[in-house]
Structures are given as structure tokens and as C-alpha cells.
Amino acid sequence: MVADPGLLLDVALDEARAGLAEGGIPIGAALFTADGTLLGRGHNRRVQDDDPSTHAETAAFRAAGRQRDYRSTVMVTTLSPCWYCSGLVRQFGIGALVIGEARTFPGGHDWLADHGVAVTLLDDDRCAALMTDFIAARPELWYEDIGEVPS
């Protein structure tokens, strides 16, 4: 694992802010090598691209291009990954996951840890505030993104 996961999180957080500035959902991600070399970065673009499959983790994964082996890579995301993105991490054997926060959405990180992914939950206040503010301002878009209908 890289010495300072907080520095890696800054890349994902910049992506989340870019997504929000574009009118989208503020979730960002980046894929790194174990030594901290950036392979790819991206943000949730469901709204911008009218594509429900363009989550932050998938955008970062696609931007990284084809890798021979993902076991020594680190996926960094501002929010605990949904089941779709957790499946991506598991499918390709990404070895480590750094999460900005899981307060606003618990995601699938416990499941990933149970299946051998090294999970680091930073509980970053910046990430939590970004999502809390977004959910308060755009609840309908948030519930659409996570596939839920508000009660």
C-alpha cells in the first residue's frame, strides 16, 4: 500500500468536484499502481453522458486502459463503491481500495474486504460534506444514481 492514501484521495476528490461543476453527481475515483503512479482518473458522468453505467470507478478504470494484472493496483474513490463498482473491483482483482467516506452510503466495501481486498476507509470530512450537501440539494438525482426510490 502507498505511504499516504490521503494524497491519492486528493486526486479522486478533484474529480468529484469536477463532476459537480458539470452538473453531475460528485463522486470521483482514480486507479493507481501500488507505488502511487496514476493510471487513470474519472468521475461519475451518468448525467453528463446520459449513461447510467458511467460511475466514477468505471470512468477511472476505463481511463487507465488495459493492464495485464490488477492485483497490485489501488482504486481510490470518494465514496464507498456501489454493488456495480464493487463488482468491477472484484471481477478484475484490484488488490486495494481507499475510500474517502461511507457515512452517506455504505456501499460494498465490507463485502470486498471479506473477499481479500485491502480496504482503507479514511472517513474524510471533505468527501462527506460534498455528498451530504449534494444529497440535500438533489435528492431525486441521488436516489436515481443508487437505484432507489425515496419513501
Side-chain angles (χ1 to χ4, degrees):
M1 175 48 90
V2 180
D4 190 351
L7 291 176
L8 303 182
L9 180 63
D10 288 342
V11 175
L13 191 54
D14 286 346
E15 286 293 325
R17 291 177 178 137
L20 182 63
E22 294 169 0
I25 298 162
I27 303 169
L31 187 67
F32 293 90
T33 63
D35 69 2
T37 301
L38 178 64
L39 297 170
R41 58 193 291 165
H43 52 272
N44 185 304
R45 296 193 50 85
R46 293 181 72 251
V47 173
Q48 300 92 312
D49 295 347
D50 196 29
D51 178 353
S53 69
T54 312
H55 288 206
E57 296 86 348
T58 60
F61 183 76
R62 289 173 181 155
R66 183 174 165 223
Q67 307 294 312
R68 287 183 48 113
D69 182 10
Y70 294 91
R71 283 179 288 222
S72 63
T73 62
V74 181
M75 178 65 77
V76 181
T77 182
T78 57
L79 183 64
S80 182
C82 68
W83 288 114
Y84 172 62
C85 295
S86 293
L88 180 145
V89 170
R90 179 98 163 90
Q91 172 70 31
F92 289 94
I94 293 171
L97 176 66
V98 173
I99 302 164
E101 67 101 359
R103 293 181 224 167
T104 58
F105 184 73
H109 67 270
D110 287 338
W111 176 75
L112 287 168
D114 289 345
H115 286 88
V117 177
V119 175
T120 302
L121 178 57
L122 299 177
D123 198 27
D124 185 274
D125 288 333
R126 299 167 302 166
C127 294
L130 190 61
M131 285 308 301
T132 300
D133 292 348
F134 175 77
I135 293 167
R138 302 288 311 273
E140 75 291 343
L141 191 53
W142 170 244
Y143 286 111
E144 175 190 323
D145 188 62
I146 61 172
E148 293 184 11
V149 177
S151 49

